[in-house]
Amino acid sequence: MIIFENATVTIDGRKSLEQLNWEIESGDCWAIVGPNGSGKALLLESLSNNGKILTGVGKNLAKRIGIVSLHEQERLIVREAERDDSDLTDQIFSGTSVQELLDESSLDLKLQRDLTKSLRLDSLLYKGFRKLSTGESKKVLLAKALLGYPDLLLLEDPLEGFDQNSSAEVTALLEKNSLSTTQIYSVSRIKDIPSWTNNVICLDSHRVIRKFSCNNGEDAKRFLSSITRMGSKQVALPVPPEKRPIRLNNDNSLVNIKNGKVGYLGHTVFEDLDLVINPGSHWQITGPNGSGKTTLLNLITGDHPQSYVNDISIFGYSKGGGETIWDIKRHLGFISNALHWQHRLTASARNVIISGFFDSIGLYAKPSGHHVRIADAWLNLIGMEKQRNARFSELSFGYQRLLLICRAMVKHPSLLLLDEPCRGLDEANRELVLALVSRLCTDGNTTIVYVSHELEDIVPQITNHLDLGDLE
Amino acid sequence: MPNYFNSLSLRDQLAQLGRCEFMDQSEFEDEAGYLKNKQLVIVGCGSQGLNQGLNLRDSGLTVAFALRDSAISERRASWVNATENGFDVGTYNELIPQADLVLNLTPDKQHTSVVREIMPLMKKHSCLSYSHGFNIVEEGMEIREDITVIMVAPKCPGTEVREEYKRGFGVPTLIAVHEENDPLGEGLNIAKAYAAGTGGHRAGVLMSSFVAEVKSDLMGEQTILCGMLQTGSLLCFDKMVQKGVDRGYASKLVQFGWETITEALKHGGITNMMDRLSNPAKIKAYELSEELKTIMRPLYEKHMDDIMTGDFSSGMMEDWAKDDHKLLSWRDETSHTEFETADNTTDEISEQEYFDNGILMVAMVKAGVELAFEVMTASGIKEESAYYESLHETPLIANTIARKKLYEMNRTISDTAEYGCYLFNHACFTLLKDFMEKQDSDVIGRGLGLNDYGTDNQHLISVNSSIRDHSVELIGKKLRGYMGAMKKVL
Ligand SMILES: NC(=O)c1ccc[n+]([C@@H]2O[C@H](COP(=O)([O-])OP(=O)(O)OC[C@H]3O[C@@H](n4cnc5c(N)ncnc54)[C@H](OP(=O)(O)O)[C@@H]3O)[C@@H](O)[C@H]2O)c1
Ligand SMILES: Nc1ncnc2c1ncn2[C@@H]1O[C@H](COP(=O)(O)OP(=O)(O)O)[C@@H](O)[C@H]1O
Ligand SMILES: [Mg+2]
């Protein structure tokens, strides 16, 4: 169905894959594996005909391609931004609704009904795309892809970001689909290779280093684990330039939310939520997709407008009592998917890390030599010293993520909010990030609030647990 | 009400026109502190109202929204916006009497009626602010003697005011105190704190006057910003079609061309925009722009004169009194132009191609920016004001045309800009008839297509220095420098 012969493919005219030889038979299920920055996303883009063949042969006989990837999600986000004319028209832009997005793919009402039911999208049909939570929006992408009756389905880390139930539902859906469709998975972690995989392609540094077939996914995982070495990580953190004293509330807490409530016209996300975060006691927040994990973190940062109508004490301020948002951010480190999308910057890798000292998106102040040295130490730590001057927007998603994690940690903040930090990271980098988090926990100045669906991504020091699913 | 500017002595007119200074960062060390614990009430929750309000609140200030009764009872967009964002919302009667600072962010055309309604409710020694001074300067609105009157005008659309703030930055902002209304001498302190509350101080604040802001704003919007781009769009499109260029291609080249070429303008001024052309194309564009400047100068001067005498505003206000009769018929005319109704080709046009095949458009931008700047500064307006109201804002309007073509661009810009744009367009379209007759598709649509791109060094040097040494380039370099590194974000 697809043939590449000695092909050089470029995406955006810049990034490229070289000497690509690959033949995909119709009905196959392939897994693309490789570390962050190896070119997995580029390969997926090439398969969806978004690339340009510079030399060699590239033939793709697929008639209908379905794709679920970060690139695809980004395309939709950018399209929504283009459609948003509220700056011109003074009209509220409620966004393209889920129903409209599904209709774009197919008007087959029966299939639409089946998919919205099995992915539990019913209550979201009239919501604008930008309002969806991470998991919700990924489900919409998947439904959209499946609605187009694809003969080729391209999936990037399809289970990442889903809660346990959703994961099971999606797995069942994909397994059924694999009987009739050629599927190609790009996976950041070997454990996510689906059990019905029969071929694997391994990438490194934008080249194919190995291809093999296997009886099933378990076979492939065993083999790949045997050839990858994982050492346990010992990390030392670069120290911040200045120690900022921790500011506490009257009750000696960092954050105290009483009767927390967030809702939109006719829909309550959560209510009666009480949360006290004391210094040194670290929290994990879990809950099904859409239960309000991200919303809760945004209440704490003050990025959510309804933080002003809640009873929140933070760092000794009573929210809305005259503090500025920067007074709060000074003591915070933060990473989330939304923050990642906001970073569509040409700033350099190093400057993105330095921006963490200023709590800005992009850098608007001249950094001191000291800032630069600290940023370089972080770049060393994540193995990106060579990319220090690379433009953020041209780096792969995983590298961008690592930089944003450093940005969040660089000042050793009093409170570090990590909302699904490991999205898109390979095993080695996840381990590194978890080691960094663990290290910050033990250093004593930073308290951590951590949101993750991945059962494996555990930080031993995090002992408090809030499950938003329990609130309902 | 008499025109305020015309009531001033020549001496005062010149003094106020000539006010515009870039303020030092050290003036903003107290940030929004002067307004801490004061009650701010914003009237109108539109593009500026909502976004300024969000920023001011995030800067630690107390903000509520006063909306007209119908907006509340009909739960209009303004009410939904204010409420969902967690603001207190109330009627004028409920909120205005408590306000220390009332921010009038309703459409300019409504200012007289809105201000008449809220003024009696305002408490003694409170402050009234505007984001544009038309009501005070052109309509001559007189405000109670005990009330302080200031202006804080972000030089960007509301959504950008918000986005830049969230990034930790701001947009350039102009502030002013109305000399007739500064009873306690605190106008400047309030204006500075308000500007800092919106984040403006991070990108640069210009201290100006109501008069300078209004006169330069009117001049910029009707000539280079909206007028020139409108006339240019129509003329360039028609010329291409006449010369056999594909309609879809012509439409796309014009619609997105302004945005692409003025993106270069935004980053590095006219110099950089011209540098994007090959040497022969640059020389061609330069010659065309010189010719255009000679032809159009009297028209630019007429617009400036009519703005200064107040003839422009009184003509427009007559039309307001006739329910926008002229404006609406001109708007309708725009919707039926060949350019507006053409469909774009789906073919890609590369970024560089917009320059190579749009030499005449580059020349029009250069001529328009320089003329507006020259005419404004010759009339006593400071270079800083003239820069912001010409070169700085051109990319914003170009972006609107890229998104919406002309009809929607006109509908969404301010009433004053739209009216002025049509006046300019009618005159300019005719004025450039002979000039356009002489042009061919090499300067618009197809590119020079030369085999030999060789250039005479001496000639190129003299053209380059003429471009670079223009005063709009010198002041632009300085002001852009203040704004720090230009960032390209979405
Ligand atoms: N847009 C810009 O780029 C920009 C830049 C700098 C300065 N400014 C200035 O900012 C001011 C506001 O402009 P804008 O663009 O934000 O306006 P806008 O988006 O049109 O919003 C105006 C708001 O005022 C309300 N309103 C309309 N008519 C009213 C009336 N008769 N009485 C009371 N409220 C009324 C509207 O809400 P309801 O209809 O629901 O009541 C609307 O929410 C103007 O002075 C403008 O010159 C604008
Ligand atoms: N502006 C909005 N209007 C309506 N619903 C919203 C809006 N923003 C978020 N939501 C909804 O709030 C819920 C919680 O979202 P979120 O906190 O992102 O969930 P998660 O727990 O997956 O992080 C989701 O169902 C989302 O669709
Ligand atoms: Mg979330």
Side-chain angles (χ1 to χ4, degrees):
Chain A
M1 160 181 260
I2 299 172
I3 297 174
F4 288 106
E5 264 172 34
N6 261 326
T8 306
V9 193
T10 90
I11 314 284
D12 298 347
R14 276 190 225 99
K15 302 164 270 186
S16 66
L17 290 162
E18 279 155 39
Q19 293 173 12
L20 182 60
N21 286 294
W22 193 12
E23 204 166 312
I24 299 169
E25 306 255 342
S26 132
D28 275 355
C29 175
W30 282 81
I32 308 172
V33 301
N36 284 132
S38 60
K40 300 189 295 297
L42 297 184
L43 189 52
L44 218 56
E45 285 288 290
S46 321
L47 292 168
S48 66
N49 294 332
N50 284 324
K52 205 164 161 185
I53 309 285
L54 291 185
T55 58
V57 181
K59 261 190 287 196
N60 189 344
L61 302 179
K63 292 194 191 64
R64 295 170 308 273
I65 303 177
I67 178 159
V68 179
S69 68
L70 289 164
H71 268 290
E72 190 60 19
Q73 188 176 10
E74 186 174 9
R75 273 191 282 273
L76 280 183
I77 291 175
V78 170
R79 197 181 70 172
E80 288 295 279
E82 283 166 4
R83 288 183 179 181
D84 182 353
D85 288 329
S86 50
D87 57 331
L88 299 180
T89 57
D90 191 29
Q91 298 293 313
I92 298 180
F93 174 70
S94 45
T96 311
S97 72
V98 171
Q99 183 67 59
E100 288 168 310
L101 285 166
L102 298 182
D103 289 348
E104 282 174 12
S105 292
S106 161
L107 292 169
D108 179 339
L109 292 184
K110 165 135 184 9
L111 187 55
Q112 280 198 5
R113 249 193 326 269
D114 290 350
L115 283 168
T116 46
K117 184 146 173 284
S118 54
L119 292 169
R120 283 179 291 137
L121 293 172
D122 307 275
S123 61
L124 303 176
L125 288 176
Y126 299 101
K127 218 174 242 191
F129 183 72
R130 282 196 293 198
K131 294 179 178 163
L132 301 178
S133 75
T134 314
E136 290 168 346
S137 65
K138 196 154 174 181
K139 284 185 189 176
V140 172
L141 283 185
L142 182 60
K144 223 172 129 44
L146 291 174
L147 267 171
Y149 306 100
D151 50 359
L152 174 64
L153 188 58
L154 308 171
L155 301 145
E156 185 178 44
D157 288 320
L159 298 183
E160 206 172 40
F162 285 138
D163 59 40
Q164 307 305 316
N165 288 339
S166 305
S167 270
E169 290 152 12
V170 170
T171 306
L173 206 59
L174 290 176
E175 180 156 20
K176 197 168 127 215
N177 170 274
S178 72
L179 302 175
S180 57
T181 310
T182 311
Q183 294 185 339
I184 301 178
Y185 288 81
S186 150
V187 293
S188 305
R189 305 171 97 176
I190 291 167
K191 76 165 185 58
D192 289 338
I193 294 178
S195 61
W196 56 91
T197 304
N198 57 11
N199 280 286
V200 176
I201 179 167
C202 308
L203 296 186
D204 197 24
S205 310
H206 292 203
R207 276 167 203 262
V208 178
I209 52 167
R210 189 190 287 267
K211 282 194 297 269
F212 62 91
S213 52
C214 53
N215 294 324
N216 55 45
E218 302 315 312
D219 256 14
K221 288 187 215 177
R222 255 193 306 281
F223 176 67
L224 286 167
S225 310
S226 74
I227 58 166
T228 26
R229 259 176 304 119
M230 297 283 299
S232 65
K233 296 271 178 192
Q234 281 297 322
V235 292
L237 299 176
V239 284
E242 44 160 357
K243 276 260 179 287
R244 297 180 199 200
I246 294 189
R247 279 187 54 125
L248 299 178
N249 298 322
N250 288 335
D251 61 355
N252 288 325
S253 63
L254 285 165
V255 179
N256 188 338
I257 301 178
K258 294 196 179 89
N259 279 317
K261 176 180 171 171
V262 174
Y264 306 95
L265 289 177
H267 156 70
T268 303
V269 180
F270 54 70
E271 53 192 342
D272 299 330
L273 181 139
D274 292 305
L275 175 64
V276 181
I277 301 173
N278 287 315
S281 76
H282 311 291
W283 285 82
Q284 170 141 22
I285 298 180
T286 56
N289 294 125
S291 58
K293 303 178 294 298
T294 299
T295 306
L296 175 59
L297 296 197
N298 285 331
L299 273 190
I300 297 175
T301 61
D303 290 328
H304 199 292
Q306 293 181 31
S307 60
Y308 288 97
V309 288
N310 270 285
D311 181 353
I312 301 175
S313 304
I314 176 163
F315 306 138
Y317 301 108
S318 154
K319 182 74 190 159
E323 83 295 343
T324 74
I325 199 162
W326 311 110
D327 291 334
I328 292 174
K329 290 192 191 243
R330 262 173 67 78
H331 303 285
L332 275 181
F334 185 46
I335 179 164
S336 71
N337 290 319
L339 185 83
H340 197 146
W341 295 125
Q342 278 181 298
H343 270 81
R344 297 174 53 83
L345 301 176
T346 51
S348 70
R350 181 200 268 154
N351 282 350
V352 166
I353 296 185
I354 294 174
S355 70
F357 289 118
F358 300 92
D359 310 310
S360 57
I361 295 175
L363 191 61
Y364 306 102
K366 201 172 157 43
S368 71
H370 205 48
H371 287 145
V372 172
R373 278 190 296 281
I374 294 173
D376 285 350
W378 281 93
L379 287 165
N380 273 328
L381 192 62
I382 56 174
M384 285 184 68
E385 56 277 13
K386 288 215 189 73
Q387 282 108 317
R388 72 168 75 90
N389 291 321
R391 287 167 172 226
F392 184 84
S393 55
E394 287 169 16
L395 290 166
S396 77
F397 186 90
Y399 282 148
Q400 293 181 354
R401 198 65 162 195
L402 284 175
L403 291 171
L404 291 176
I405 289 172
C406 296
R407 174 186 179 275
M409 295 180 170
V410 70
K411 62 182 181 198
H412 293 222
S414 301
L415 187 63
L416 178 62
L417 307 174
L418 301 166
D419 189 357
E420 305 192 41
C422 295
R423 184 167 193 203
L425 296 186
D426 62 26
E427 266 104 352
N429 281 326
R430 275 173 211 245
E431 235 181 72
L432 173 64
V433 168
L434 295 179
L436 291 172
V437 174
S438 173
R439 188 72 226 210
L440 273 173
C441 284
T442 40
D443 274 4
N445 287 312
T446 300
T447 304
I448 286 162
V449 179
Y450 177 62
V451 175
S452 168
H453 291 291
E454 299 286 338
L455 296 173
E456 290 81 4
D457 292 351
I458 290 169
V459 181
Q461 291 85 347
I462 301 182
T463 49
N464 301 288
H465 183 200
L466 171 69
D467 189 344
L468 290 174
D470 293 346
L471 279 180
E472 287 157 14
Chain B
M1 294 177 291
N3 183 302
Y4 170 68
F5 182 68
N6 292 351
S7 74
L8 296 174
S9 70
L10 177 62
R11 187 174 50 255
D12 286 340
Q13 286 182 335
L14 291 175
Q16 293 205 26
L17 273 178
R19 184 161 317 139
C20 190
E21 286 143 42
F22 200 86
M23 295 179 80
D24 194 78
Q25 279 296 329
S26 63
E27 303 246 20
F28 297 92
E29 266 157 22
D30 193 29
E31 305 219 305
Y34 195 82
L35 287 170
K36 277 264 153 75
N37 303 317
K38 299 272 169 62
Q39 178 65 53
L40 277 59
V41 173
I42 302 180
V43 184
C45 187
S47 150
Q48 289 294 325
L50 174 64
N51 291 299
Q52 289 188 25
L54 288 165
N55 290 1
L56 292 165
R57 182 172 68 176
D58 279 346
S59 295
L61 304 180
T62 313
V63 180
F65 280 89
L67 303 181
R68 50 177 166 171
D69 296 341
S70 57
I72 298 175
S73 59
E74 292 167 23
R75 307 200 149 195
R76 277 212 293 269
S78 53
W79 179 86
V80 175
N81 269 336
T83 317
E84 276 213 337
N85 282 293
F87 287 104
D88 275 340
V89 182
T91 60
Y92 297 167
N93 279 318
E94 286 162 355
L95 292 176
I96 303 290
Q98 306 161 25
D100 300 299
L101 169 61
V102 175
L103 293 77
N104 173 16
L105 294 173
T106 56
D108 297 301
K109 209 165 156 181
Q110 312 298 334
H111 282 186
T112 296
S113 73
V114 170
V115 171
R116 284 209 172 117
E117 214 179 324
I118 59 177
M119 196 160 40
L121 298 170
M122 286 178 69
K123 74 178 173 198
K124 193 163 181 206
H125 291 322
S126 56
C127 178
L128 174 67
S129 79
Y130 290 86
S131 283
H132 180 37
F134 188 85
N135 183 235
I136 294 284
V137 176
E138 300 293 315
E139 298 188 276
M141 173 60 80
E142 286 174 21
I143 309 294
R144 227 170 60 205
E145 274 180 6
D146 64 291
I147 295 177
T148 305
V149 177
I150 61 165
M151 170 161 54
V152 174
K155 294 280 104 192
C156 282
T159 40
E160 210 164 313
V161 171
R162 180 62 181 157
E163 285 309 311
E164 287 297 325
Y165 184 92
K166 288 203 286 188
R167 288 182 218 290
F169 201 54
V171 305
T173 299
L174 191 149
I175 65 173
V177 179
H178 187 34
E179 294 192 354
E180 315 298 321
N181 283 81
D182 193 14
L184 309 175
E186 63 170 356
L188 182 57
N189 284 332
I190 299 177
K192 274 167 32 181
Y194 171 1
T198 60
H201 65 312
R202 300 202 191 92
V205 176
L206 291 157
M207 169 75 193
S208 183
S209 68
F210 271 70
V211 165
E213 189 266 346
V214 170
K215 299 294 185 188
S216 58
D217 188 71
L218 288 174
M219 178 63 187
E221 67 189 19
Q222 52 192 257
T223 57
I224 169 60
L225 300 180
C226 307
M228 190 74 246
L229 297 191
Q230 165 127 354
T231 309
S233 298
L234 301 176
L235 290 175
C236 289
F237 178 83
D238 291 351
K239 171 60 51 177
M240 281 189 270
V241 171
Q242 181 207 345
K243 294 290 172 186
V245 174
D246 174 65
R247 273 175 75 88
Y249 181 87
S251 167
K252 186 165 185 173
L253 189 74
V254 170
Q255 183 175 358
F256 297 99
W258 301 119
E259 186 183 40
T260 309
I261 61 187
T262 60
E263 176 77 12
L265 184 76
K266 176 166 123 191
H267 288 265
I270 292 176
T271 307
N272 183 52
M273 175 180 75
M274 296 290 280
D275 282 347
R276 294 297 310 271
L277 295 167
S278 67
N279 287 328
K282 182 199 273 186
I283 289 169
K284 185 77 200 169
Y286 175 79
E287 287 164 354
L288 289 171
S289 82
E290 289 299 296
E291 200 179 338
L292 282 167
K293 281 174 77 173
T294 308
I295 303 170
M296 295 191 300
R297 188 177 299 276
L299 178 62
Y300 275 67
E301 286 169 348
K302 174 169 186 343
H303 275 260
M304 189 80 258
D305 294 344
D306 288 349
I307 290 167
M308 288 296 184
T309 56
D311 286 352
F312 166 74
S313 330
S314 56
M316 179 177 61
M317 286 186 286
E318 271 168 37
D319 196 47
W320 289 1
K322 289 184 200 142
D323 293 328
D324 299 317
H325 176 76
K326 282 189 198 160
L327 182 106
L328 292 175
S329 73
W330 291 335
R331 187 186 276 180
D332 188 57
E333 216 171 76
T334 300
S335 74
H336 292 106
T337 56
E338 288 290 309
F339 167 64
E340 196 69 19
T341 48
D343 287 324
N344 288 340
T345 172
T346 51
D347 294 347
E348 278 290 314
I349 301 182
S350 77
E351 199 246 5
Q352 185 56 41
E353 192 173 332
Y354 281 108
F355 289 91
D356 297 340
N357 293 358
I359 297 169
L360 179 57
M361 292 168 73
V362 173
M364 285 174 166
V365 171
K366 177 177 183 291
V369 167
E370 289 180 355
L371 268 181
F373 182 88
E374 287 167 23
V375 173
M376 279 195 249
T377 50
S379 312
I381 293 170
K382 282 270 287 249
E383 290 189 340
E384 285 83 350
S385 313
Y387 170 82
Y388 274 106
E389 303 299 350
S390 57
L391 194 151
H392 172 80
E393 298 221 3
T394 308
L396 297 176
I397 303 297
N399 170 266
T400 315
I401 295 175
R403 287 158 65 178
K404 297 276 170 186
K405 282 198 167 176
L406 298 177
Y407 174 76
E408 287 290 339
M409 179 274 279
N410 276 297
R411 250 168 42 96
T412 52
I413 55 175
S414 68
D415 297 310
T416 54
E418 182 175 11
Y419 188 87
C421 168
Y422 296 142
L423 281 184
F424 178 92
N425 179 51
H426 284 127
C428 193
F429 198 84
T430 326
L431 193 61
L432 292 180
K433 217 173 162 55
D434 293 344
F435 168 84
M436 287 305 294
E437 278 302 313
K438 296 184 298 186
Q439 308 308 323
D440 207 333
S441 61
D442 58 339
V443 295
I444 183 71
R446 295 199 172 98
L448 295 182
L450 301 175
N451 292 322
D452 175 8
Y453 276 82
T455 309
D456 176 62
N457 279 322
Q458 287 310 324
H459 189 36
L460 183 64
I461 290 170
S462 82
V463 166
N464 275 338
S465 58
S466 161
I467 297 169
R468 270 159 218 180
D469 296 343
H470 193 281
S471 41
V472 75
E473 289 299 277
L474 302 178
I475 187 76
K477 207 164 169 201
K478 189 167 128 202
L479 293 173
R480 285 193 300 273
Y482 289 133
M483 278 199 58
M486 273 286 187
K487 339 121 255 146
K488 183 174 167 148
V489 250
L490 180 71

